[in-house]
Amino acid sequence: MASRFNALKADAHWQQVWDERRTFAADDHSAKPKSYVLEMFPYPSGKIHMGHVRNYTMGDVLARYRRMTGHEVLHPMGWDAFGMPAENAAMEKGVHPGGWTRANIATMKAQLKRLGFALDWTRELATCEPDYYGHEQAIFLEFYKAGLVYRKESAVNWDPVDMTVLANEQVIDGRGWRSGALVEKRKLNQWFLKITQFADELLDGLSTLEHWPDKVRLMQENWIGKSQGLTFRFRLSDGGEVEVFTTRPDTIFGASFVAVAADHPIAQALAGDPAVAAFIARCKQGGTTAAEIETQEKLGFDTGLTAAHPFSGHPLPVYIANFVLMDYGTGAVFGVPAHDQRDFDFATKYSLPIRRVVAEGDKADPAFDEAEAYTGPGTLVNSHFLDGMDVADAKREVIRRAEADGWGRGSTVWRLRDWGVSRQRYWGTPIPIVHCAACGEVPVPREQLPVVLPEDVTFDVPGNPLDRHPTWKHVACPSCGGEALRDTDTLDTFADSSWYFIRFASQPQDRPFDRAVAESWLPVGQYIGGVEHAILHLLYARFFTRALRHVGMIDVAEPFTGLFTQGMVTHETYRLALPDYDGPRGALWVSPDDIVVGENGQRLARMADGATVPVTVGRVEKMSKSKKNTIDPEPIVDQYGADAVRWFMLSDSPPERDLEWSENGIEGAWRFVQRLWRLVDGERGSEGRDAALDRKLHQTIAGVAADIEALSFNKAVAKLYELTSAVEKAAPSASRDDAVEAMIRLVAPMVPHLAEEAWSLRGHAGLVADAPWPAVDAALLVEDEVTIAIQVNGKLRDTLVLAKGLPREAIEAAALASDKVVRLLEGRAPKKVIVVPDRLVNLVA
RNA sequence: GCGGACGUGGCGGAAUGGUAGACGCUGGGGACUUAAAAUCCUCUGCCGAUGGCGUGCGGGUUCGAGUCCCGCCGUCCGCACCA
């Protein structure tokens, strides 16, 4: 009689065995082919959530599968441990960011261990520890030495109450998210990394990333935003000049005005005039949200200046305009209303000429009477020497002439900006620079690294604790020995996550990584994480890798050859169906834990006093604290065991799509785990082959392998269900015993605890984690009989089971002999017969 | 506005241009049981049912379209006055 699988006991036992034997520690010196599987490391926010469980389960299946197929696998885990939430916790709860973070790490590590992930914990790292960030400081200084770091004055969002800099996301309706104070723009000296120096490489490199989702490549491409065109100068009526950038030099004869940004030096120079000053102020008022920009009216202020057209010398009015951005291109444009919608809107409002220069079909009249700008292809008209050219030729010709005559040049403009990395915050990597009155900015010498973040700080006063620390920032200048001050800013935490995958591969004490060892593991073969990191994190990591190559520290171009962006874990939302409920705001959301199912399936909320209240079931959304629709993984693991949770995470939904958490789903997974156990714990020792089962087994081995490699876990799961059913139904035989034996290995990547328990139960000495993936007998992948579809006029009318590989004539004859076909054809011969061997016959009557 | 993805039973989803709905969930019926749980068997797209209709809608290509092409509609995501 089969026993029941005791998940909790098995989980604890095998986790301990893996730990003690260091089963998943990666060997740098292994002769096996190396495979680096990585999931985005977590921020230690407190507890793990279902999103983590799903993410790490996917990576784990791949890592375990790779081990079984003979790879030396690096599958590490660490902590993205610097960041604002720790400081927020410090301010709210009076705890120290370091203590809070390290306690969270301990909690979350224990939780991850309970899921049985095949992780190399010997390489665990936390970015908040000096033995990590010290090396990051060394890298920063290498970049500095190579001229990839510079200092620039730049505007930040300043919260005058909290005395801190805010990220854009923390500014809500122009106010600080915490203090509610009106946010000011403040100019601060900040450090920048020259990511734009690599813009071309980062763009071109995208085409080599075949195993990245197209979507992510496209998002990066748009973010980098390469535009090619012409940069040229207009002479102004006051004797000055204004430089503009355009991607449409071909339309130059359609220009009817020039516009500059409110921040442009020309506008600023005129700001002595109160009317100009008022207009500039008005431009800056506008909101920055999508909706506001969309509906914002184009506004202009005529400066009275004119700009001379570079070919005709014709004067064009110069406006200050709210739709021109100072930080893109040159901060000035020329307006071609007929062929740019913004210019069209602007010209319409200010009654400026609208002149067609690109013919749309046969429309070539200089008077432009369309309702909107024409931006499509066409032939140049009303443009002197450009007439008759197509757009591309005309662009080239204008650039050629501008360069020949010396008033402009072909140029490339990027949307990508240099990366400002200074943060006026405490809980981050200190920037290893000393400011000396005599020597200026002085890098901290290598032997003085790490610049350790002091932990004796308080958060009872607003502002950066580093700045008001009594001693920390006072230091002797490394250059002259005089009194100097440390930079009290810390690095953007995106810097921490821009090279951690290299440190995982190699972690010597005295330098960031050993080049040869790191190169033996990198690039990461499969990187898995949320699509929310599609742009910034992945772009910064790509930049860091290229910058490290630039300074000669590593010879790797792209850090991640394979990228997979997994979907979120979602759940229904519940709200109290009481419009007049007078509880605190937000309390209307009800946690799934407090939901009971009433009669006829109605959902009710159980209130604190035991009463039940009807709720409305809202849409299925990403699990979030604000909607209270989270499911804490820990009690689920307690109840069902790690394997059932893992199995559910892989079932049903394709991994790139969202997975809806459901009670039925986890119960189904748990039932399957028990079903598997009954099989492995069942009878064996029978004789004889079962050809059909052999074939099913080998097809499943091949299919599951292919599905895992394609990360199509839901399909692998479906195939394993099918095989399980087939084995259950099969009569005892040696084939059936073989199938059960192989199945233990097939499910091992997904339900490793059950697999180890079964492997051991069936008398194997080693671990199933170290066992090889079952071999496929290719001969068994082919069926000897096939079901052939018989269609008449493309409609299915019958199916026939025939031997595989029959000649066309035999298949056709069999089809024509089918009773149903005979009845439908009523004695007539078909006009045409299409035979697809081993598949179908289509008779066209 | 620009770019992208997606749209298949009651639900999640399968399906190299070739038998639509694998597999799971839900639900119905049955077996076992004093009973329940667990387990097992069985059915489960729709309809006027020897047949017909079905993959968001309308066209097209093809012997054959969920799949390819054109045009709509809807949902979701990203970017956004980028010159």
Side-chain angles (χ1 to χ4, degrees):
Chain A
M1 187 60 201
S3 61
R4 215 167 153 82
F5 176 60
N6 185 335
L8 291 192
K9 205 172 137 199
D11 287 359
H13 175 68
W14 295 106
Q15 284 159 19
Q16 192 190 345
V17 170
W18 295 327
D19 250 0
E20 284 168 356
R21 300 194 192 177
R22 294 188 163 211
T23 304
F24 305 113
D27 177 6
D28 289 342
H29 309 293
S30 170
K32 294 181 198 168
K34 289 184 173 172
S35 180
Y36 190 169
V37 178
L38 184 66
E39 300 94 57
M40 291 179 185
F41 68 164
Y43 178 79
S45 54
K47 296 164 100 175
I48 63 166
H49 54 70
M50 281 297 174
H52 292 127
V53 177
R54 190 175 190 210
N55 190 189
Y56 302 138
T57 299
M58 289 181 194
D60 202 55
V61 170
L62 186 67
R64 285 176 178 270
Y65 168 78
R66 287 268 164 81
R67 282 176 57 82
M68 295 178 79
T69 51
H71 292 86
E72 186 65 30
V73 173
L74 174 57
H75 186 216
M77 182 54 69
W79 309 95
D80 189 13
F82 273 140
M84 269 182 352
E87 288 187 58
N88 295 339
M91 286 183 272
E92 279 161 19
K93 299 173 191 159
V95 292
H96 188 277
W100 182 85
T101 302
R102 291 179 187 108
N104 289 346
I105 288 174
T107 304
M108 292 171 73
K109 182 176 179 180
Q111 290 184 310
L112 289 182
K113 288 215 165 200
R114 288 210 48 202
L115 283 150
F117 295 130
L119 292 164
D120 181 355
W121 285 105
T122 67
R123 295 174 190 244
E124 179 185 5
L125 58 82
T127 58
C128 65
E129 303 302 342
D131 63 4
Y132 182 83
Y133 68 72
H135 297 301
E136 188 167 307
Q137 291 166 338
I139 290 172
F140 180 88
L141 293 175
E142 285 296 322
F143 288 175
Y144 181 85
K145 204 163 72 186
L148 297 176
V149 181
Y150 66 97
R151 200 159 162 81
K152 182 175 85 172
E153 192 161 79
S154 168
V156 295
N157 302 310
W158 180 259
D159 184 322
V161 172
D162 277 354
M163 290 173 55
T164 187
V165 169
L166 300 176
N168 283 332
E169 311 82 72
Q170 296 168 328
V171 181
I172 297 159
D173 296 333
R175 292 172 180 275
W177 66 302
R178 179 187 296 281
S179 69
L182 274 176
V183 169
E184 303 166 5
K185 286 279 178 200
R186 219 184 236 209
K187 293 252 180 186
L188 289 180
N189 255 318
Q190 312 220 67
W191 293 104
F192 283 80
L193 295 184
K194 274 193 194 167
I195 189 170
T196 55
Q197 185 175 322
F198 297 81
D200 249 319
E201 273 187 58
L202 290 168
L203 183 64
D204 293 345
L206 290 173
S207 62
T208 68
L209 300 173
E210 293 160 39
H211 302 290
W212 277 40
D214 290 343
K215 175 186 175 168
V216 174
R217 289 198 284 181
L218 196 70
M219 283 164 75
Q220 292 222 346
E221 190 182 320
N222 292 340
W223 188 263
I224 295 168
K226 183 179 188 175
S227 293
Q228 282 174 302
L230 172 71
T231 300
F232 69 99
R233 293 179 301 280
F234 281 101
R235 279 178 293 105
L236 295 177
S237 51
D238 67 355
E241 285 185 332
V242 60
E243 193 173 55
V244 304
F245 171 73
T246 178
T247 57
R248 294 295 302 274
D250 54 304
T251 62
I252 193 159
F253 287 104
S256 51
F257 64 94
V258 169
V260 301
D263 297 330
H264 193 280
I266 288 175
Q268 295 295 319
L270 297 170
D273 179 342
V276 174
F279 180 77
I280 291 173
R282 194 174 162 197
C283 286
K284 288 186 174 175
Q285 267 171 14
T288 51
T289 67
E292 283 171 312
I293 288 169
E294 182 70 16
T295 55
Q296 212 167 69
E297 198 181 0
K298 304 272 178 292
L299 294 176
F301 185 93
D302 190 344
T303 60
L305 292 167
T306 61
H309 190 284
F311 287 116
S312 68
H314 186 78
L316 303 172
V318 177
Y319 282 80
I320 302 166
N322 65 342
F323 68 91
V324 181
L325 306 175
M326 191 56 219
D327 54 3
Y328 184 79
T330 61
V333 300
F334 71 90
V336 184
H339 304 293
D340 180 285
Q341 189 57 42
R342 291 158 304 173
D343 297 347
F344 182 90
D345 295 344
F346 191 80
T348 306
K349 173 156 179 159
Y350 293 101
S351 305
L352 295 162
I354 303 177
R355 180 184 165 86
R356 175 190 293 281
V357 289
V358 178
E360 174 188 4
D362 55 3
K363 295 180 191 167
D365 191 333
F368 189 89
D369 54 4
E370 311 295 323
E372 53 185 31
Y374 176 70
T375 56
T379 305
L380 272 287
V381 292
N382 311 313
S383 295
H384 305 270
F385 55 88
L386 298 174
D387 285 353
M389 291 185 189
D390 66 22
V391 167
D393 286 342
K395 282 182 184 175
R396 271 190 290 274
E397 177 60 15
V398 172
I399 292 171
R400 192 190 65 77
R401 289 197 184 218
E403 289 179 346
D405 299 345
W407 48 267
R409 60 187 194 286
S411 64
T412 302
V413 164
W414 305 86
R415 206 192 86 101
L416 184 69
R417 302 290 140 70
D418 277 337
W419 176 12
V421 291
S422 294
R423 296 290 181 271
Q424 294 69 39
R425 308 205 160 277
Y426 164 71
W427 192 233
T429 299
I431 293 175
I433 299 280
V434 169
H435 299 279
C436 170
C439 312
E441 59 193 46
V442 183
V444 173
R446 171 163 276 254
E447 60 276 10
Q448 290 179 25
L449 294 185
V451 176
V452 176
L453 188 68
E455 303 237 353
D456 54 335
V457 290
T458 55
F459 293 86
D460 44 0
V461 207
N464 181 355
L466 286 183
D467 212 24
R468 59 166 190 270
H469 190 283
T471 55
W472 183 78
K473 70 176 173 183
H474 301 281
V475 66
C477 169
S479 178
C480 69
E483 269 187 38
L485 294 175
R486 287 193 190 282
D487 202 306
T488 57
D489 287 349
T490 52
L491 287 174
D492 182 358
T493 56
F494 272 117
D496 309 337
S497 52
S498 291
W499 71 285
Y500 76 106
F501 45 91
I502 309 178
R503 181 73 186 169
F504 272 145
S506 166
Q507 28 195 244
Q509 296 240 316
D510 59 339
R511 60 222 139 103
F513 49 86
D514 178 89
R515 177 173 172 165
V517 175
E519 285 175 2
S520 79
W521 287 110
L522 287 161
V524 174
Q526 186 63 60
Y527 195 33
I528 308 177
V531 73
E532 67 272 20
H533 294 113
I535 298 177
L536 294 183
H537 162 57
L538 289 167
L539 191 64
Y540 291 147
R542 293 181 63 219
F543 158 64
F544 249 67
T545 307
R546 282 178 186 269
L548 287 167
R549 184 172 72 158
H550 181 79
V551 301
M553 289 176 74
I554 197 168
D555 188 20
V556 173
E558 290 291 339
F560 316 115
T561 44
L563 173 72
F564 188 84
T565 53
Q566 103 269 12
M568 299 176 299
V569 182
T570 61
H571 196 285
E572 276 181 340
T573 48
Y574 308 102
R575 290 193 88 146
L576 287 182
L578 298 176
D580 56 346
Y581 176 72
D582 59 354
R585 245 163 62 89
L588 286 172
W589 296 104
V590 179
S591 160
D593 295 340
D594 299 325
I595 293 291
V596 290
V597 181
E599 286 169 42
N600 54 49
Q602 200 199 9
R603 305 300 158 94
L604 303 166
R606 198 202 328 264
M607 308 304 283
D609 59 5
T612 55
V613 178
V615 295
T616 48
V617 178
R619 41 184 280 179
V620 174
E621 291 192 64
K622 179 185 181 177
M623 287 187 180
S624 73
K625 283 177 191 162
S626 62
K627 301 278 167 66
K628 289 196 179 173
N629 62 338
T630 56
I631 299 288
D632 184 355
E634 198 162 26
I636 303 285
V637 174
D638 286 340
Q639 192 179 347
Y640 297 98
D643 289 342
V645 176
R646 294 167 59 112
W647 187 259
F648 178 52
M649 288 289 119
L650 300 165
S651 306
D652 297 345
S653 284
E656 69 277 11
R657 287 206 216 162
D658 291 350
L659 170 72
E660 189 185 347
W661 178 267
S662 75
E663 198 69 20
N664 289 327
I666 182 66
E667 299 224 331
W670 187 81
R671 273 200 302 273
F672 180 71
V673 167
Q674 293 299 337
R675 220 174 126 192
L676 269 181
W677 182 252
R678 283 194 297 275
L679 267 191
V680 301
D681 197 22
E683 285 177 30
R684 59 196 148 128
S686 300
E687 302 284 322
R689 301 308 304 178
D690 177 338
L693 189 62
D694 285 343
R695 204 170 276 124
K696 183 74 186 172
L697 172 64
H698 284 264
Q699 286 170 352
T700 305
I701 296 171
V704 169
D707 287 338
I708 291 177
E709 280 176 37
L711 307 181
S712 298
F713 304 113
N714 57 320
K715 294 192 225 169
V717 162
K719 289 190 174 83
L720 288 166
Y721 270 115
E722 280 189 61
L723 179 62
T724 303
S725 291
V727 173
E728 283 170 344
K729 289 190 174 80
S733 66
S735 295
R736 194 179 186 277
D737 291 351
D738 291 350
V740 172
E741 193 75 14
M743 271 180 71
I744 296 170
R745 287 182 282 164
L746 293 185
V747 299
M750 289 122 166
V751 289
H753 308 87
L754 175 131
E756 292 292 3
E757 194 73 20
W759 196 245
S760 150
L761 176 80
R762 291 174 80 97
H764 296 280
L767 295 174
V768 75
D770 293 323
W773 187 252
V776 176
D777 181 346
L780 291 173
L781 295 182
V782 193
E783 298 282 358
D784 54 359
E785 281 187 334
V786 285
T787 305
I788 295 195
I790 311 299
Q791 298 179 339
V792 176
N793 293 332
K795 284 191 171 140
L796 182 73
R797 296 299 177 179
D798 201 1
T799 58
L800 297 176
V801 177
L802 299 176
K804 190 178 167 67
L806 281 185
R808 290 170 172 272
E809 299 72 30
I811 298 170
E812 183 178 336
L816 288 167
S818 150
D819 288 349
K820 291 185 182 163
V821 169
V822 168
R823 206 183 315 142
L824 274 156
L825 291 179
E826 296 173 325
R828 290 162 304 177
K831 287 189 203 127
K832 190 172 178 185
V833 180
I834 288 105
V835 179
V836 182
D838 296 337
R839 278 232 104 111
L840 61 68
V841 178
N842 189 9
L843 304 162
V844 184

